[in-house]
Amino acid sequence: MRVIKFRGKRIDNGEWAYGHYAQVDTAQHTIFWFKEDGAPWWADVNPETVGQFTGLLDKEGKEIYEGDVLKGTTNKWVMEDKPEPHDFVGYVRWESQCDVGMEWVLTTMDSTASDSLNVYVHCVAIDYSTGVIIGNIHDNPELLKND
């Protein structure tokens, strides 16, 4: 059974909160969790930073969340003219793809392409377990610049 949890940046201190997500009304978005002593706790979060846990782990065993930026090398690539190992940097998002409905995808800027590429995390190409999380789109947007 897949674990359903979220993270979001707290409004009060800018730190990440991890746990269950609730949208109380149109203005209040909350992550709540249980402290070590079992007491419930919560924090209001910026809704633009809320991301779901993908159920996947990177090569170092770290949980991958929507919005994480991954870096690595893979032999599995959507583009058939790239059968050799290929470096990637991209961010994880939820999208309707793969002819099977919704799917986690890694959107990456390829050094030989002018547009972003969708690399399907589950249904086709990339082996996410070869990558490591190097940041996220909220704290480190500069990681996605195509130099």
Side-chain angles (χ1 to χ4, degrees), residues 32-54:
F32 62 96
W33 64 95
F34 294 94
K35 294 167 56 172
E36 288 182 21
D37 64 2
W41 202 251
W42 63 92
D44 290 336
V45 296
N46 178 341
E48 294 177 10
T49 66
V50 173
Q52 186 174 358
F53 173 51
T54 63

Side-chain angles (χ1 to χ4, degrees), residues 37-110:
D37 64 2
W41 202 251
W42 63 92
D44 290 336
V45 296
N46 178 341
E48 294 177 10
T49 66
V50 173
Q52 186 174 358
F53 173 51
T54 63
L56 307 172
L57 303 176
D58 74 359
K59 137 173 143 170
E60 297 177 347
K62 191 172 176 184
E63 295 178 339
I64 301 173
Y65 282 81
E66 184 175 12
D68 278 341
V69 177
L70 276 72
K71 179 179 183 176
T73 301
T74 185
N75 287 325
K76 299 177 179 182
W77 203 254
V78 172
M79 299 170 64
E80 294 193 18
D81 63 338
K82 294 185 183 224
E84 72 283 349
H86 186 79
D87 293 335
F88 67 86
V89 173
Y91 69 95
V92 177
R93 65 191 175 93
W94 184 247
E95 184 178 296
S96 176
Q97 292 292 338
C98 308
D99 299 325
V100 293
M102 299 300 286
E103 191 69 47
W104 292 109
V105 299
L106 182 73
T107 298
T108 179
M109 288 300 290
D110 184 273

